[in-house]
Amino acid sequence: MITLKENFYRLLHPKIVFLLTSAGKDGKHNVMSCAWATPASEEPPKVIVCVSKEHYTAELILQTEEFAINIPTKDMVKAIWICGSKSGRSVDKFKEAKLKTFKASKVSAPLIEGCAGFIECKVTKTIDAGECYAFLADVVESMTDERYFKKGIWIADNIPMHLGGRKIVYFVSSALHE
């Protein structure tokens, strides 16, 4: 056994990669690639998303206390890399990644066309979590494209999973194709 101090969190990977959208009070939208989210409660439905305090996305979420989780498909890997390597302070990542958006039903953050699923969230508590803010949020709307999600689970080989660093993997299981 080896001791992991700096990269202990990679023991919890792979995780679903998602595109986290936000909107500022001025109406400006942003998107970033993220993998640090988890359900926090089924009843009431809540999630926690962790975002670096230095990221523009954190600034916008602090302003409006809303965000949306957009779950991309494997066809969107290039957009995932673009949205994870540039700052929305200086670049329109939607334009650069060729992402089209549409209006969410319950939050000001936009949703991204072509994604396999969406979770709209309203922040109930912001936790100082070291270099990150942990945003505890109520799930106010969630939906999925049935081409990718059947019988309560993702269909294999469609949803990007972040393994760590610049590595994306996909899970494969014949049991999921029943």
Side-chain angles (χ1 to χ4, degrees):
M1 300 286 271
I2 61 169
T3 300
L4 296 177
K5 292 184 181 182
E6 291 182 22
N7 292 324
F8 73 91
Y9 58 89
R10 290 204 176 159
L11 295 173
L12 300 173
H13 284 65
K15 297 179 92 38
I16 287 180
V17 175
F18 57 93
L19 296 168
L20 184 63
T21 54
S22 54
K25 285 188 176 182
D26 62 359
K28 186 173 179 190
H29 297 154
N30 191 47
V31 57
M32 71 172 276
S33 300
C34 191
W36 285 17
T38 190
S41 171
E42 287 184 77
E43 193 54 46
K46 290 182 178 283
V47 296
I48 293 177
V49 172
C50 296
V51 179
S52 171
K53 292 175 182 175
E54 297 177 4
H55 286 170
Y56 184 51
T57 295
E59 181 181 318
L60 297 182
I61 293 171
L62 288 169
Q63 287 178 21
T64 61
E65 297 188 315
E66 296 179 344
F67 60 86
I69 295 171
N70 299 261
I71 300 165
T73 65
K74 66 181 177 182
D75 300 333
M76 301 173 82
V77 170
K78 185 174 179 182
I80 291 167
W81 291 126
I82 290 169
C83 294
S85 62
K86 302 186 183 250
S87 172
R89 281 190 181 94
S90 56
V91 171
D92 180 344
K93 292 190 274 185
F94 293 102
K95 184 176 179 181
E96 189 154 328
K98 298 181 173 93
L99 294 172
K100 294 182 179 172
T101 64
F102 61 100
K103 187 170 175 30
S105 63
K106 306 230 171 128
V107 298
S108 57
L111 301 180
I112 298 171
E113 288 182 12
C115 284
F118 308 95
I119 304 173
E120 297 178 36
C121 303
K122 293 194 177 201
V123 175
T124 57
K125 186 172 188 177
T126 301
I127 302 158
D128 185 329
E131 82 277 4
C132 292
Y133 288 119
F135 296 108
L136 176 64
D138 288 335
V139 174
V140 294
E141 185 70 68
S142 62
M143 57 192 140
T144 188
D145 183 328
E146 293 173 313
R147 291 177 296 168
Y148 303 106
F149 195 82
K150 293 197 188 291
K151 298 180 183 178
I153 57 174
W154 291 112
I155 296 173
D157 197 35
N158 286 294
I159 306 302
M161 306 280 286
H162 184 236
L163 187 59
R166 292 190 55 85
K167 294 184 181 175
I168 296 285
V169 296
Y170 303 90
F171 66 90
V172 179
S173 173
S174 59
L176 296 178
H177 295 287
E178 296 176 355

